[in-house]
């Protein structure tokens, strides 16, 4: 790809592809420049540096993951929605490990870019919408969101690192974990008095 065809979007996509191949923390501006067939300095016309690139990858990944989850959960409710949501999350993490990690890592994102990005906002709306189907309201909604995110991310991170060495298939454990989450969400313990913040 020649320098004339370079845009911030193309640099971001190339960076995301590289992150999926080598890991987000292994991406460098020099590597990316070589991949695009340009000098390092050419990249700085389109992104401010490595942190800016990672922020752009995070926003791209948030959009992609949210679209996948929205399509998977459309028209579903209750356990069907939970399972579709979780499976879409896990599939995205498997297929795009570098991009996925960008969505799970605190990264400095240009406030202007972040304000225009629909992915992160839509992800929150989808998650809260699915959980409202279980009859949850604040502060239980926030607690349940944190539980789901911790469970999904913990599972896929351990899976990616080869952390499930037992002979039982991780898929069986995943299905059972979703069964358990559904049961818990249906029988969510009431908030304690004064537990509003």
């Amino acid at each position: 790809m020649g320098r004339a065809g370079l845009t911030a979007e193309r640099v971001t996509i190339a960076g995301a592809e590289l992150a999926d191949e080598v890991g987000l923390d292994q991406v460098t501006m020099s590597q990316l420049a070589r991949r695009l067939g340009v000098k390092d300095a050419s990249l700085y016309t389109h992104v401010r540096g490595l942190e800016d690139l990672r922020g752009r990858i995070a926003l791209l990944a948030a959009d992609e993951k949210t679209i996948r989850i929205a399509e998977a959960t459309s028209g579903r409710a209750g356990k069907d929605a939970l399972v579709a949501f979780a499976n879409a999350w896990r599939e995205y993490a498997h297929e795009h490990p570098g991009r996925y990690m960008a969505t799970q890592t605190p990264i400095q994102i240009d406030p202007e870019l972040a304000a225009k990005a629909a992915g992160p906002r839509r992800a929150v709306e989808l998650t809260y919408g699915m959980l409202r189907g279980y009859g949850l309201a604040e502060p239980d909604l926030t607690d349940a969101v944190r539980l789901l995110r911790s469970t999904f991310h913990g599972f896929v991170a351990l899976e990616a690192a080869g952390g499930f060495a037992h002979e039982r298939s991780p898929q069986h454990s995943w299905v059972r974990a979703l069964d358990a989450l559904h049961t818990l969400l249906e029988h969510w313990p009431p908030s304690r008095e004064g537990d509003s913040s």
Side-chain angles (χ1 to χ4, degrees), residues 1-18 32 35-36 42-48 52-61 63-64 67 99 113:
M1 182 187 306
R3 179 177 177 177
L6 225 51
T7 63
E9 182 182 7
R10 291 179 88 171
V11 169
T12 302
I13 291 169
E17 290 169 352
L18 184 58
L32 184 55
R35 184 184 193 95
L36 291 167
S42 299
L43 296 181
Y44 292 91
T45 306
H46 306 286
V47 296
R48 290 189 308 238
D52 183 39
L53 175 65
R54 287 179 175 171
R56 289 169 185 271
I57 292 170
L59 293 177
L60 169 69
D63 282 342
E64 291 174 341
I67 289 167
R99 297 178 210 214
L113 279 177

Side-chain angles (χ1 to χ4, degrees), residues 48-144:
R48 290 189 308 238
L50 190 55
E51 199 63 24
D52 183 39
L53 175 65
R54 287 179 175 171
R56 289 169 185 271
I57 292 170
L59 293 177
L60 169 69
D63 282 342
E64 291 174 341
K65 184 161 76 89
T66 300
I67 289 167
R68 182 175 294 201
I69 289 171
E71 290 172 350
T73 58
S74 178
R76 299 175 186 266
K79 186 176 181 182
D80 285 345
L82 173 66
V83 170
F85 187 109
N87 286 339
W89 177 304
R90 184 176 176 219
E91 287 162 9
Y92 187 83
H94 285 177
E95 292 169 24
H96 300 291
R99 297 178 210 214
Y100 171 76
M101 192 50 64
T103 68
Q104 301 300 311
T105 307
I107 291 173
Q108 294 296 321
I109 297 174
D110 179 335
E112 269 187 54
L113 279 177
K116 293 178 193 168
R121 281 191 311 277
R122 184 75 177 116
V124 171
E125 291 166 6
L126 282 168
T127 310
Y128 277 70
M130 181 205 34
L131 289 171
R132 281 192 191 94
Y134 284 98
L136 298 180
E138 290 296 2
D140 296 327
L141 271 172
T142 294
D143 294 338

Side-chain angles (χ1 to χ4, degrees), residues 22 37 39 56 100 102 106 118 126 149 155 159 174 186:
V22 303
K39 296 187 187 231
R56 289 169 185 271
Y100 171 76
L126 282 168
R149 184 176 177 199
F155 196 100
E159 195 172 27
W174 175 256
E186 283 199 313

